[in-house]
Amino acid sequence: MNNKNGFLDKVVLITGAAAGIGEAAARAFAAQGAKVVLADINTQGEQLAQNMCAQGQHAVFQVCDVSNSDSVTALFAFIENTFGRLDIAFNNAGIDIESSKLAEGIEDDFDKIMDINVKGVWLCMQHEIQSMLKNGGGAIVNTASVAGLGAAPKMSIYAASKHAVIGLTKSAAVEYAKIGIRVNAICPAVIDTNMYRRAAAGDEKKAHRIGAMHPIGRVGTVEEVVAAVLYLSSDAASFTTGTSLPVDGGLTAI
Ligand code: NAD
C-alpha cells in the first residue's frame, strides 16, 4: 500500500463522490489506504464503493443531499457511529446550471445552486469542524472554481456560489488555524467530467473552443485536480491554510 501522503487508516469524507472529480478523489484516497466515506445524492455511489471494496480498499457509501440539513446530520451520525472520528473532508458536491445573462436568471435556479454549492458546503463544514475539534485537528478541502476567482459570463449565479465557497474557506481557515484544522479550496478551470460534457453537449467545435481558452490548450483531467486535493489534505501542506489553489491550465494567469 502506497502511504506516501500519510493517508493510511485516515477517515476521509468526500461529497459528490459518485462521479467526476469526487469519484476520482475517492479512488485516490482509498488507493493510499484511507477509509473513505463516499457521500452523494446519486445512489450509483453504492456500486462504486462495492467495487472499491472488492479491490481490497476501504470504502462505504452514504446517500446524502448536502443541501438538506437532516440528510447531512444523518451522514455525520453515521461517520461518528462507524469510525468515531473524521480526519479529512473534501466538500466537492456541486452543480452548475446553463446559462443566461444575469438579468434573465431564474429565481429557482438561484435557490438551487446556492442551496447545494454554498449551504451544502457550510452545513458539511459545521459538522466536520465539530468532529475535527474532538480529534485535535484535520484538513478540509472545498471545491470552488476559477468562477470563484473572477467573472463567469452567463454563469453569474454559479460564480457567486463559488466566490461564497472561497469566503467560507478563508473565514474558517482563520477561525480554526491555531487548533490544527486547515481549510483550503481548489479552483479548477474546465475539467473533463459530466459537467463539462453536458456543457459541450457533443458539439466538437464548442469542445475545442473550451479547451483552447486554457493557455495549456486543453481541458484538465480529474487526476490533475485530485493531485491538488491530495496535496492540500496531506501534511506536506502543513503551513498552507486559507488558500484557493487554481488548477486551471494557466487560465487565471491571463
Ligand atoms: P459531476 O456532475 O461529474 O459530479 C458532481 C457530483 O455531485 C455528482 O455525483 C452529483 O450527483 C453530486 N451532487 C449533486 N448535487 C448533490 C447534492 N445535493 N448532494 C450530494 N451530492 C450531490 O461534476 P464534477 O465536474 O465532478 O464537479 C465536482 C465539483 O467540481 C463541483 O462542485 C463543481 O462545481 C466543481 N467544478 C467542476 C468543474 C468542471 O469543469 N467539471 C470546474 C470547476 C469546478
Side-chain angles (χ1 to χ4, degrees), residues 11-13 15 29 76 86-92 120-133 137-143 165 168-170 172-173 176 180-186 228-229 231-234 237 240-243:
V11 179
V12 180
L13 168 65
T15 70
F29 276 111
F76 283 88
L86 178 68
D87 299 297
I88 294 166
F90 180 34
N91 297 311
N92 166 75
V121 171
W122 177 72
L123 285 171
C124 288
M125 285 176 76
Q126 288 195 306
H127 288 273
E128 288 155 6
I129 289 167
Q130 280 164 18
S131 180
M132 289 174 182
L133 286 173
I140 296 174
V141 179
N142 296 325
T143 302
V165 169
L168 294 172
T169 301
K170 288 181 175 175
Y176 298 100
I181 302 176
R182 294 183 303 100
V183 189
N184 292 290
I186 50 156
V229 177
Y231 163 67
L232 290 170
S233 303
S234 75
T240 300
T241 195
T243 197

Side-chain angles (χ1 to χ4, degrees), residues 13-17 19-23 25 89-95 116-118 120-121 125 128 140-148 158-159 161-166 168-169 183-189 191 193 195 225-226 228-229 232 243-245 247:
L13 168 65
I14 298 170
T15 70
I21 295 167
E23 174 183 348
F90 180 34
N91 297 311
N92 166 75
I95 58 163
I116 296 172
N117 292 9
V118 184
V121 171
M125 285 176 76
E128 288 155 6
I140 296 174
V141 179
N142 296 325
T143 302
S145 166
V146 291
Y158 181 76
S161 76
K162 294 302 189 178
H163 276 75
V165 169
I166 292 176
L168 294 172
T169 301
V183 189
N184 292 290
I186 50 156
C187 298
I191 305 302
T193 68
M195 193 176 270
V225 178
V226 169
V229 177
L232 290 170
T243 197
S244 304
L245 178 63
V247 187

Side-chain angles (χ1 to χ4, degrees), residues 40-229:
D40 205 296
I41 200 167
N42 179 349
T43 52
Q44 276 179 8
E46 179 65 56
Q47 189 58 51
L48 172 62
Q50 282 177 20
N51 293 345
M52 290 165 66
C53 291
Q55 292 165 28
Q57 297 173 346
H58 200 133
V60 57
F61 175 74
Q62 284 293 293
V63 67
C64 175
D65 175 354
V66 295
S67 67
N68 178 300
S69 64
D70 290 343
S71 185
V72 172
T73 300
L75 169 67
F76 283 88
F78 168 82
I79 293 171
E80 180 62 30
N81 292 337
T82 309
F83 301 105
R85 61 182 294 121
L86 178 68
D87 299 297
I88 294 166
F90 180 34
N91 297 311
N92 166 75
I95 58 163
D96 67 350
I97 292 178
E98 275 278 304
S99 160
S100 55
K101 287 192 179 176
L102 189 139
E104 283 94 50
I106 295 167
E107 187 178 353
D108 282 352
D109 288 349
F110 184 95
D111 291 341
K112 192 168 180 206
I113 291 183
M114 290 297 169
D115 275 355
I116 296 172
N117 292 9
V118 184
K119 187 174 149 197
V121 171
W122 177 72
L123 285 171
C124 288
M125 285 176 76
Q126 288 195 306
H127 288 273
E128 288 155 6
I129 289 167
Q130 280 164 18
S131 180
M132 289 174 182
L133 286 173
K134 286 193 282 167
N135 301 349
I140 296 174
V141 179
N142 296 325
T143 302
S145 166
V146 291
L149 297 170
K154 290 195 168 176
M155 293 185 77
S156 58
I157 306 170
Y158 181 76
S161 76
K162 294 302 189 178
H163 276 75
V165 169
I166 292 176
L168 294 172
T169 301
K170 288 181 175 175
S171 303
V174 173
E175 287 173 0
Y176 298 100
K178 285 211 170 58
I179 33 187
I181 302 176
R182 294 183 303 100
V183 189
N184 292 290
I186 50 156
C187 298
V190 182
I191 305 302
D192 187 7
T193 68
N194 292 335
M195 193 176 270
Y196 154 70
R197 286 174 214 136
R198 275 192 303 268
D203 177 341
E204 248 178 65
K205 274 196 191 144
K206 189 173 181 191
H208 184 263
R209 231 178 18 252
I210 294 174
M213 75 189 187
H214 303 79
I216 282 183
R218 61 171 175 82
V219 301
T221 66
V222 290
E223 289 77 15
E224 288 169 322
V225 178
V226 169
V229 177

Side-chain angles (χ1 to χ4, degrees), residues 1-8 31-32 230 234-236:
M1 184 73 70
N2 166 7
N3 187 33
K4 67 177 178 198
N5 285 310
F7 296 144
L8 185 64
Q32 295 190 28
L230 296 187
S234 75
D235 288 346

